[in-house]
Amino acid sequence: MKLPNHVALANLPTRIEYLSRFSKEVGANIYIKRDDFTGGEFSGNKVRKLEFAVQEALDRGCNTLITCGGIQSNHCRATAAVAARLGLKSVLVLRNNDTEVKPDGNYFIDKVLGADVRIISADEYKNERKEIMEKIQEECKAKGDKAYIIPEGASNYIGNFGYFKCMEEIKSQEEELGIVFDTIVIAVGSGGTYAGLQLANKVLNLNKKILGVNVCDTADFFKDRIYEIMGDSKEYLGLDVELHREEINIIDGYVGRGYALSRPEEIEFIKHFARTEGIILDPVYTGKGLYGLSSELKEGNLEDLGNILFIHTGGLYGLFPVRELFEN
Ligand SMILES: *Cc1c(COP(=O)(O)O)cnc(C)c1O
């Protein structure tokens, strides 16, 4: 099977490391894949999806990338970085009720990279972000630019192939390392990372268990969403594979106070993990994801997961705007 073309941007393959002290602590065999090392400016999972989405933009002759996300969106920051790296322009539609918010974390990096930032309210974001991005696309056209719209998280039929390709990478690393990963665990925010991994899991017959920990919405919401994205990619490539919604595994219960809001136990976990393994998780995704896995393992809620591979999907810049939560 041939994947669509992509622009090579990320630093790949990313390393896989064994978490010896953390594994002992939770009584399981846990490895970590360092997708936080896909790049400095690109750091995290979004650049893998952007490699495919941006190729489509270039194929269509576009010179501007438009996308959207929360004010601390890693996806938007990665899009701004990719655009600047390729000599394209970027327009970011960021969700924040305070439109005067001081640039910090990812939003600060967006500014350094020269992205054109438009801040909209949570309501506008929820109800009309698509129309707002289309209006910006028209604006670009009037200026003689051609803009390509990337949906939230690049979680769609095309961005999805970033994590299909990542699964192929994991498979070849398994051969190199002489290890089989029975379970892959990730945080789920817009569903594309899960969808790409699971599509590859099915197409390549790998029989792995992919376990997602949702950081917003509900397990049901993501099962629908992931199933939909997988179906769209399947259709796009004309793949002959059977997909089942009930094979999508999401551990619900770790959204906590809501998207991008932290509970003290999550912050404590991030600090503890940093001091145990020397690896820093982010408060919005990976901190909740690994905290969820760790809690479920400690409570004995999970069947034997065999060798577990947790993918560190990045997000470090998101730590800075919430620095006061870490003071003490
Ligand atoms: C976006 C993001 C995720 C979630 O990936 P989705 O494909 O949106 O589900 C996980 N971790 C980090 C750090 C992210 O930025």
Side-chain angles (χ1 to χ4, degrees):
M1 194 205 94
K2 194 180 169 302
L3 294 181
N5 291 334
H6 69 280
V7 208
L9 293 162
N11 202 4
L12 303 177
T14 55
R15 284 203 324 250
I16 291 179
E17 301 162 354
Y18 184 56
L19 299 173
S20 58
R21 289 171 297 276
F22 183 67
S23 291
K24 207 172 207 173
E25 191 182 296
V26 295
N29 243 352
I30 308 185
Y31 295 77
I32 192 163
K33 183 164 174 62
R34 302 300 302 271
D35 273 16
D36 50 330
F37 287 173
T38 49
E41 300 82 357
F42 304 149
S43 166
N45 62 342
K46 299 310 180 314
V47 65
R48 287 190 187 261
K49 308 194 228 179
L50 288 168
E51 288 194 327
F52 286 87
V54 172
Q55 180 67 58
E56 186 171 79
L58 295 175
D59 291 344
R60 292 185 188 173
C62 296
N63 69 344
T64 304
L65 305 176
I66 302 174
T67 197
C68 63
I71 188 80
Q72 285 301 326
S73 168
N74 298 306
H75 163 68
C76 289
R77 181 257 308 147
T79 302
V82 166
R85 188 72 193 93
L86 295 175
L88 309 173
K89 300 176 193 176
S90 62
V91 186
L92 309 177
V93 175
L94 301 180
R95 178 185 63 232
N96 206 63
N97 285 332
D98 172 11
T99 54
E100 302 294 314
V101 58
K102 182 170 163 276
D104 197 353
N106 284 299
Y107 175 32
F108 170 68
I109 305 289
D110 299 341
K111 291 283 199 182
V112 174
L113 289 163
D116 174 355
V117 174
R118 317 285 177 90
I119 300 182
I120 64 173
S121 70
D123 273 349
E124 286 172 312
Y125 189 91
K126 186 159 174 270
N127 302 318
E128 30 175 333
R129 65 174 181 271
K130 190 163 166 276
E131 291 73 19
I132 290 171
M133 288 196 287
E134 285 166 359
K135 221 173 129 209
I136 294 170
Q137 191 177 38
E138 287 302 310
E139 235 180 71
C140 292
K141 198 172 160 192
K143 283 190 302 186
D145 287 331
K146 190 167 180 199
Y148 178 88
I149 299 178
I150 303 169
E152 190 179 65
S155 289
N156 68 346
Y157 67 95
I158 189 79
N160 202 11
F161 292 111
Y163 271 84
F164 192 115
K165 184 161 163 283
C166 178
M167 191 60 124
E168 295 178 336
E169 181 179 308
I170 292 169
K171 192 170 160 249
S172 76
Q173 286 178 302
E174 284 184 328
E175 283 155 24
E176 256 166 56
L177 299 167
I179 303 167
V180 170
F181 300 109
D182 307 287
T183 307
I184 297 181
V185 180
I186 47 157
V188 173
S190 62
T193 302
Y194 192 109
L197 291 169
Q198 176 65 357
L199 186 64
N201 192 32
K202 297 301 289 181
V203 171
L204 307 173
N205 264 314
L206 301 177
N207 287 312
K208 296 188 187 305
K209 180 169 190 167
I210 319 282
L211 211 48
V213 180
N214 58 307
V215 303
C216 54
D217 297 293
T218 61
D220 258 345
F221 172 86
F222 280 115
K223 284 180 188 178
D224 287 345
R225 185 68 197 119
I226 290 165
Y227 185 61
E228 187 185 357
I229 307 170
M230 284 167 64
D232 291 346
S233 293
K234 170 184 157 168
E235 195 176 309
Y236 179 78
L237 280 194
L239 298 174
D240 182 20
V241 60
E242 271 198 49
L243 304 175
H244 304 281
R245 185 185 181 277
E246 56 284 9
E247 287 175 355
I248 300 169
N249 297 294
I250 306 283
I251 302 182
D252 211 335
Y254 293 92
V255 175
R257 294 177 51 232
Y259 177 76
L261 299 172
S262 300
R263 292 181 290 175
E265 54 268 46
E266 294 161 14
I267 301 296
E268 277 314 306
F269 178 79
I270 292 171
K271 288 205 275 194
H272 174 71
F273 187 74
R275 292 158 199 195
T276 306
E277 293 289 358
I279 298 174
I280 301 183
L281 303 168
D282 82 290
V284 183
Y285 298 96
T286 54
K288 285 185 181 179
L290 198 57
Y291 174 69
L293 176 69
S294 155
S295 306
E296 294 290 302
L297 286 169
K298 284 182 178 166
E299 284 164 27
N301 293 342
L302 301 169
E303 59 189 84
D304 184 9
L305 299 178
N307 287 324
I308 301 171
L309 181 65
F310 178 76
I311 304 183
H312 189 329
T313 40
L316 180 64
Y317 298 118
L319 219 60
F320 296 96
V322 294
R323 50 173 68 72
E324 52 307 335
L325 298 179
F326 288 83
E327 281 164 11
N328 69 55

PDB file of all heavy atoms in Angstrom, residues 153-179:
ATOM      1  N   GLY A 153      -6.329  20.476  14.565  1.00  0.00           N
ATOM      2  CA  GLY A 153      -5.454  19.330  14.830  1.00  0.00           C
ATOM      3  C   GLY A 153      -4.976  18.592  13.587  1.00  0.00           C
ATOM      4  O   GLY A 153      -4.322  17.565  13.697  1.00  0.00           O
ATOM      5  N   ALA A 154      -5.290  19.097  12.396  1.00  0.00           N
ATOM      6  CA  ALA A 154      -5.007  18.379  11.137  1.00  0.00           C
ATOM      7  C   ALA A 154      -5.537  16.951  11.217  1.00  0.00           C
ATOM      8  O   ALA A 154      -4.967  16.018  10.662  1.00  0.00           O
ATOM      9  CB  ALA A 154      -3.518  18.401  10.775  1.00  0.00           C
ATOM     10  N   SER A 155      -6.634  16.800  11.972  1.00  0.00           N
ATOM     11  CA  SER A 155      -7.222  15.469  12.144  1.00  0.00           C
ATOM     12  C   SER A 155      -8.285  15.246  11.080  1.00  0.00           C
ATOM     13  O   SER A 155      -9.476  15.417  11.323  1.00  0.00           O
ATOM     14  CB  SER A 155      -7.830  15.352  13.547  1.00  0.00           C
ATOM     15  OG  SER A 155      -6.800  15.305  14.500  1.00  0.00           O
ATOM     16  N   ASN A 156      -7.827  14.875   9.908  1.00  0.00           N
ATOM     17  CA  ASN A 156      -8.762  14.566   8.822  1.00  0.00           C
ATOM     18  C   ASN A 156      -8.168  13.494   7.909  1.00  0.00           C
ATOM     19  O   ASN A 156      -7.108  12.931   8.218  1.00  0.00           O
ATOM     20  CB  ASN A 156      -9.123  15.846   8.047  1.00  0.00           C
ATOM     21  CG  ASN A 156      -7.953  16.413   7.275  1.00  0.00           C
ATOM     22  OD1 ASN A 156      -6.802  16.030   7.488  1.00  0.00           O
ATOM     23  ND2 ASN A 156      -8.241  17.318   6.363  1.00  0.00           N
ATOM     24  N   TYR A 157      -8.849  13.221   6.801  1.00  0.00           N
ATOM     25  CA  TYR A 157      -8.442  12.134   5.896  1.00  0.00           C
ATOM     26  C   TYR A 157      -6.971  12.186   5.516  1.00  0.00           C
ATOM     27  O   TYR A 157      -6.345  11.163   5.342  1.00  0.00           O
ATOM     28  CB  TYR A 157      -9.312  12.163   4.628  1.00  0.00           C
ATOM     29  CG  TYR A 157      -9.060  13.393   3.764  1.00  0.00           C
ATOM     30  CD1 TYR A 157      -8.164  13.353   2.705  1.00  0.00           C
ATOM     31  CD2 TYR A 157      -9.702  14.596   4.051  1.00  0.00           C
ATOM     32  CE1 TYR A 157      -7.905  14.488   1.942  1.00  0.00           C
ATOM     33  CE2 TYR A 157      -9.458  15.738   3.291  1.00  0.00           C
ATOM     34  CZ  TYR A 157      -8.555  15.678   2.249  1.00  0.00           C
ATOM     35  OH  TYR A 157      -8.294  16.794   1.508  1.00  0.00           O
ATOM     36  N   ILE A 158      -6.403  13.396   5.412  1.00  0.00           N
ATOM     37  CA  ILE A 158      -5.025  13.495   4.922  1.00  0.00           C
ATOM     38  C   ILE A 158      -4.007  13.557   6.065  1.00  0.00           C
ATOM     39  O   ILE A 158      -3.007  12.832   6.061  1.00  0.00           O
ATOM     40  CB  ILE A 158      -4.885  14.664   3.894  1.00  0.00           C
ATOM     41  CG1 ILE A 158      -3.523  14.641   3.213  1.00  0.00           C
ATOM     42  CG2 ILE A 158      -5.174  16.050   4.493  1.00  0.00           C
ATOM     43  CD1 ILE A 158      -3.421  13.625   2.108  1.00  0.00           C
ATOM     44  N   GLY A 159      -4.268  14.381   7.089  1.00  0.00           N
ATOM     45  CA  GLY A 159      -3.342  14.490   8.219  1.00  0.00           C
ATOM     46  C   GLY A 159      -3.164  13.143   8.908  1.00  0.00           C
ATOM     47  O   GLY A 159      -2.079  12.802   9.422  1.00  0.00           O
ATOM     48  N   ASN A 160      -4.231  12.384   8.915  1.00  0.00           N
ATOM     49  CA  ASN A 160      -4.278  11.044   9.471  1.00  0.00           C
ATOM     50  C   ASN A 160      -3.103  10.153   9.054  1.00  0.00           C
ATOM     51  O   ASN A 160      -2.649   9.314   9.815  1.00  0.00           O
ATOM     52  CB  ASN A 160      -5.589  10.436   8.941  1.00  0.00           C
ATOM     53  CG  ASN A 160      -6.082   9.305   9.772  1.00  0.00           C
ATOM     54  OD1 ASN A 160      -5.591   9.068  10.863  1.00  0.00           O
ATOM     55  ND2 ASN A 160      -7.058   8.595   9.256  1.00  0.00           N
ATOM     56  N   PHE A 161      -2.601  10.340   7.832  1.00  0.00           N
ATOM     57  CA  PHE A 161      -1.532   9.469   7.339  1.00  0.00           C
ATOM     58  C   PHE A 161      -0.222   9.694   8.084  1.00  0.00           C
ATOM     59  O   PHE A 161       0.670   8.850   8.043  1.00  0.00           O
ATOM     60  CB  PHE A 161      -1.366   9.617   5.825  1.00  0.00           C
ATOM     61  CG  PHE A 161      -2.552   9.079   5.077  1.00  0.00           C
ATOM     62  CD1 PHE A 161      -3.420   9.922   4.399  1.00  0.00           C
ATOM     63  CD2 PHE A 161      -2.829   7.718   5.107  1.00  0.00           C
ATOM     64  CE1 PHE A 161      -4.543   9.424   3.749  1.00  0.00           C
ATOM     65  CE2 PHE A 161      -3.952   7.206   4.460  1.00  0.00           C
ATOM     66  CZ  PHE A 161      -4.805   8.057   3.782  1.00  0.00           C
ATOM     67  N   GLY A 162      -0.100  10.816   8.794  1.00  0.00           N
ATOM     68  CA  GLY A 162       1.095  11.052   9.603  1.00  0.00           C
ATOM     69  C   GLY A 162       1.278   9.953  10.635  1.00  0.00           C
ATOM     70  O   GLY A 162       2.392   9.465  10.862  1.00  0.00           O
ATOM     71  N   TYR A 163       0.179   9.551  11.273  1.00  0.00           N
ATOM     72  CA  TYR A 163       0.311   8.501  12.295  1.00  0.00           C
ATOM     73  C   TYR A 163       0.161   7.090  11.717  1.00  0.00           C
ATOM     74  O   TYR A 163       0.540   6.116  12.359  1.00  0.00           O
ATOM     75  CB  TYR A 163      -0.552   8.796  13.538  1.00  0.00           C
ATOM     76  CG  TYR A 163       0.307   9.629  14.464  1.00  0.00           C
ATOM     77  CD1 TYR A 163       0.383  11.004  14.292  1.00  0.00           C
ATOM     78  CD2 TYR A 163       1.150   9.028  15.384  1.00  0.00           C
ATOM     79  CE1 TYR A 163       1.260  11.766  15.056  1.00  0.00           C
ATOM     80  CE2 TYR A 163       2.028   9.777  16.153  1.00  0.00           C
ATOM     81  CZ  TYR A 163       2.081  11.142  15.982  1.00  0.00           C
ATOM     82  OH  TYR A 163       2.954  11.877  16.722  1.00  0.00           O
ATOM     83  N   PHE A 164      -0.305   6.990  10.494  1.00  0.00           N
ATOM     84  CA  PHE A 164      -0.217   5.704   9.779  1.00  0.00           C
ATOM     85  C   PHE A 164       1.268   5.422   9.566  1.00  0.00           C
ATOM     86  O   PHE A 164       1.773   4.340   9.884  1.00  0.00           O
ATOM     87  CB  PHE A 164      -0.950   5.804   8.429  1.00  0.00           C
ATOM     88  CG  PHE A 164      -1.164   4.482   7.750  1.00  0.00           C
ATOM     89  CD1 PHE A 164      -2.447   3.988   7.552  1.00  0.00           C
ATOM     90  CD2 PHE A 164      -0.091   3.723   7.307  1.00  0.00           C
ATOM     91  CE1 PHE A 164      -2.663   2.752   6.932  1.00  0.00           C
ATOM     92  CE2 PHE A 164      -0.288   2.491   6.686  1.00  0.00           C
ATOM     93  CZ  PHE A 164      -1.577   2.021   6.495  1.00  0.00           C
ATOM     94  N   LYS A 165       1.953   6.455   9.077  1.00  0.00           N
ATOM     95  CA  LYS A 165       3.390   6.324   8.813  1.00  0.00           C
ATOM     96  C   LYS A 165       4.155   6.090  10.114  1.00  0.00           C
ATOM     97  O   LYS A 165       5.127   5.334  10.148  1.00  0.00           O
ATOM     98  CB  LYS A 165       3.868   7.604   8.114  1.00  0.00           C
ATOM     99  CG  LYS A 165       5.313   7.584   7.684  1.00  0.00           C
ATOM    100  CD  LYS A 165       5.556   8.659   6.621  1.00  0.00           C
ATOM    101  CE  LYS A 165       7.020   8.986   6.450  1.00  0.00           C
ATOM    102  NZ  LYS A 165       7.557   9.846   7.516  1.00  0.00           N
ATOM    103  N   CYS A 166       3.708   6.708  11.204  1.00  0.00           N
ATOM    104  CA  CYS A 166       4.355   6.496  12.501  1.00  0.00           C
ATOM    105  C   CYS A 166       4.235   5.030  12.922  1.00  0.00           C
ATOM    106  O   CYS A 166       5.151   4.462  13.501  1.00  0.00           O
ATOM    107  CB  CYS A 166       3.734   7.403  13.561  1.00  0.00           C
ATOM    108  SG  CYS A 166       4.423   7.187  15.208  1.00  0.00           S
ATOM    109  N   MET A 167       3.105   4.415  12.628  1.00  0.00           N
ATOM    110  CA  MET A 167       2.936   2.998  12.975  1.00  0.00           C
ATOM    111  C   MET A 167       3.911   2.135  12.180  1.00  0.00           C
ATOM    112  O   MET A 167       4.480   1.178  12.718  1.00  0.00           O
ATOM    113  CB  MET A 167       1.486   2.571  12.724  1.00  0.00           C
ATOM    114  CG  MET A 167       1.158   1.220  13.284  1.00  0.00           C
ATOM    115  SD  MET A 167       1.390   1.101  15.070  1.00  0.00           S
ATOM    116  CE  MET A 167      -0.233   0.559  15.551  1.00  0.00           C
ATOM    117  N   GLU A 168       4.151   2.497  10.929  1.00  0.00           N
ATOM    118  CA  GLU A 168       5.162   1.769  10.138  1.00  0.00           C
ATOM    119  C   GLU A 168       6.544   1.945  10.773  1.00  0.00           C
ATOM    120  O   GLU A 168       7.344   1.010  10.811  1.00  0.00           O
ATOM    121  CB  GLU A 168       5.177   2.293   8.693  1.00  0.00           C
ATOM    122  CG  GLU A 168       3.886   2.019   7.939  1.00  0.00           C
ATOM    123  CD  GLU A 168       3.893   2.585   6.507  1.00  0.00           C
ATOM    124  OE1 GLU A 168       4.644   3.552   6.231  1.00  0.00           O
ATOM    125  OE2 GLU A 168       3.150   2.063   5.678  1.00  0.00           O
ATOM    126  N   GLU A 169       6.778   3.146  11.273  1.00  0.00           N
ATOM    127  CA  GLU A 169       8.059   3.441  11.945  1.00  0.00           C
ATOM    128  C   GLU A 169       8.202   2.576  13.206  1.00  0.00           C
ATOM    129  O   GLU A 169       9.259   1.999  13.457  1.00  0.00           O
ATOM    130  CB  GLU A 169       8.076   4.942  12.287  1.00  0.00           C
ATOM    131  CG  GLU A 169       9.320   5.455  12.958  1.00  0.00           C
ATOM    132  CD  GLU A 169       9.203   6.980  13.214  1.00  0.00           C
ATOM    133  OE1 GLU A 169       8.899   7.737  12.254  1.00  0.00           O
ATOM    134  OE2 GLU A 169       9.406   7.406  14.353  1.00  0.00           O
ATOM    135  N   ILE A 170       7.124   2.480  13.972  1.00  0.00           N
ATOM    136  CA  ILE A 170       7.146   1.663  15.200  1.00  0.00           C
ATOM    137  C   ILE A 170       7.430   0.201  14.853  1.00  0.00           C
ATOM    138  O   ILE A 170       8.223  -0.469  15.504  1.00  0.00           O
ATOM    139  CB  ILE A 170       5.805   1.797  15.974  1.00  0.00           C
ATOM    140  CG1 ILE A 170       5.666   3.219  16.543  1.00  0.00           C
ATOM    141  CG2 ILE A 170       5.692   0.750  17.084  1.00  0.00           C
ATOM    142  CD1 ILE A 170       4.284   3.561  17.099  1.00  0.00           C
ATOM    143  N   LYS A 171       6.808  -0.256  13.778  1.00  0.00           N
ATOM    144  CA  LYS A 171       6.991  -1.652  13.357  1.00  0.00           C
ATOM    145  C   LYS A 171       8.468  -1.915  13.027  1.00  0.00           C
ATOM    146  O   LYS A 171       9.034  -2.933  13.434  1.00  0.00           O
ATOM    147  CB  LYS A 171       6.108  -1.924  12.138  1.00  0.00           C
ATOM    148  CG  LYS A 171       5.982  -3.369  11.780  1.00  0.00           C
ATOM    149  CD  LYS A 171       4.902  -3.565  10.707  1.00  0.00           C
ATOM    150  CE  LYS A 171       5.085  -4.888  10.003  1.00  0.00           C
ATOM    151  NZ  LYS A 171       5.513  -4.741   8.613  1.00  0.00           N
ATOM    152  N   SER A 172       9.108  -0.995  12.336  1.00  0.00           N
ATOM    153  CA  SER A 172      10.509  -1.258  12.003  1.00  0.00           C
ATOM    154  C   SER A 172      11.398  -1.094  13.240  1.00  0.00           C
ATOM    155  O   SER A 172      12.415  -1.790  13.371  1.00  0.00           O
ATOM    156  CB  SER A 172      10.973  -0.457  10.784  1.00  0.00           C
ATOM    157  OG  SER A 172      11.190   0.865  11.143  1.00  0.00           O
ATOM    158  N   GLN A 173      11.014  -0.238  14.173  1.00  0.00           N
ATOM    159  CA  GLN A 173      11.781  -0.123  15.427  1.00  0.00           C
ATOM    160  C   GLN A 173      11.638  -1.383  16.276  1.00  0.00           C
ATOM    161  O   GLN A 173      12.566  -1.781  16.964  1.00  0.00           O
ATOM    162  CB  GLN A 173      11.326   1.117  16.215  1.00  0.00           C
ATOM    163  CG  GLN A 173      11.828   2.417  15.581  1.00  0.00           C
ATOM    164  CD  GLN A 173      11.333   3.651  16.326  1.00  0.00           C
ATOM    165  OE1 GLN A 173      10.137   3.848  16.466  1.00  0.00           O
ATOM    166  NE2 GLN A 173      12.247   4.488  16.797  1.00  0.00           N
ATOM    167  N   GLU A 174      10.464  -2.005  16.210  1.00  0.00           N
ATOM    168  CA  GLU A 174      10.264  -3.269  16.943  1.00  0.00           C
ATOM    169  C   GLU A 174      11.260  -4.312  16.454  1.00  0.00           C
ATOM    170  O   GLU A 174      11.855  -5.049  17.243  1.00  0.00           O
ATOM    171  CB  GLU A 174       8.839  -3.800  16.707  1.00  0.00           C
ATOM    172  CG  GLU A 174       7.765  -3.073  17.487  1.00  0.00           C
ATOM    173  CD  GLU A 174       6.380  -3.697  17.301  1.00  0.00           C
ATOM    174  OE1 GLU A 174       6.091  -4.233  16.217  1.00  0.00           O
ATOM    175  OE2 GLU A 174       5.592  -3.641  18.244  1.00  0.00           O
ATOM    176  N   GLU A 175      11.452  -4.350  15.127  1.00  0.00           N
ATOM    177  CA  GLU A 175      12.390  -5.322  14.558  1.00  0.00           C
ATOM    178  C   GLU A 175      13.814  -5.013  15.001  1.00  0.00           C
ATOM    179  O   GLU A 175      14.561  -5.905  15.411  1.00  0.00           O
ATOM    180  CB  GLU A 175      12.266  -5.331  13.021  1.00  0.00           C
ATOM    181  CG  GLU A 175      11.020  -6.097  12.571  1.00  0.00           C
ATOM    182  CD  GLU A 175      10.488  -5.669  11.204  1.00  0.00           C
ATOM    183  OE1 GLU A 175      11.267  -5.137  10.387  1.00  0.00           O
ATOM    184  OE2 GLU A 175       9.272  -5.880  10.954  1.00  0.00           O
ATOM    185  N   GLU A 176      14.176  -3.720  14.968  1.00  0.00           N
ATOM    186  CA  GLU A 176      15.516  -3.305  15.389  1.00  0.00           C
ATOM    187  C   GLU A 176      15.779  -3.618  16.848  1.00  0.00           C
ATOM    188  O   GLU A 176      16.852  -4.068  17.222  1.00  0.00           O
ATOM    189  CB  GLU A 176      15.621  -1.789  15.252  1.00  0.00           C
ATOM    190  CG  GLU A 176      16.404  -1.278  14.079  1.00  0.00           C
ATOM    191  CD  GLU A 176      16.124   0.211  13.898  1.00  0.00           C
ATOM    192  OE1 GLU A 176      16.342   0.968  14.869  1.00  0.00           O
ATOM    193  OE2 GLU A 176      15.640   0.584  12.809  1.00  0.00           O
ATOM    194  N   LEU A 177      14.780  -3.332  17.701  1.00  0.00           N
ATOM    195  CA  LEU A 177      14.951  -3.473  19.150  1.00  0.00           C
ATOM    196  C   LEU A 177      14.688  -4.896  19.639  1.00  0.00           C
ATOM    197  O   LEU A 177      15.037  -5.239  20.764  1.00  0.00           O
ATOM    198  CB  LEU A 177      14.003  -2.512  19.892  1.00  0.00           C
ATOM    199  CG  LEU A 177      14.170  -1.011  19.646  1.00  0.00           C
ATOM    200  CD1 LEU A 177      12.973  -0.229  20.189  1.00  0.00           C
ATOM    201  CD2 LEU A 177      15.462  -0.514  20.302  1.00  0.00           C
ATOM    202  N   GLY A 178      14.054  -5.710  18.800  1.00  0.00           N
ATOM    203  CA  GLY A 178      13.690  -7.057  19.218  1.00  0.00           C
ATOM    204  C   GLY A 178      12.609  -7.059  20.290  1.00  0.00           C
ATOM    205  O   GLY A 178      12.612  -7.875  21.205  1.00  0.00           O
ATOM    206  N   ILE A 179      11.694  -6.106  20.215  1.00  0.00           N
ATOM    207  CA  ILE A 179      10.592  -6.006  21.189  1.00  0.00           C
ATOM    208  C   ILE A 179       9.290  -5.896  20.405  1.00  0.00           C
ATOM    209  O   ILE A 179       9.269  -5.270  19.344  1.00  0.00           O
ATOM    210  CB  ILE A 179      10.698  -4.720  22.050  1.00  0.00           C
ATOM    211  CG1 ILE A 179      12.037  -4.658  22.769  1.00  0.00           C
ATOM    212  CG2 ILE A 179       9.548  -4.619  23.058  1.00  0.00           C
ATOM    213  CD1 ILE A 179      12.329  -3.297  23.374  1.00  0.00           C
TER     214      ILE A 179
END
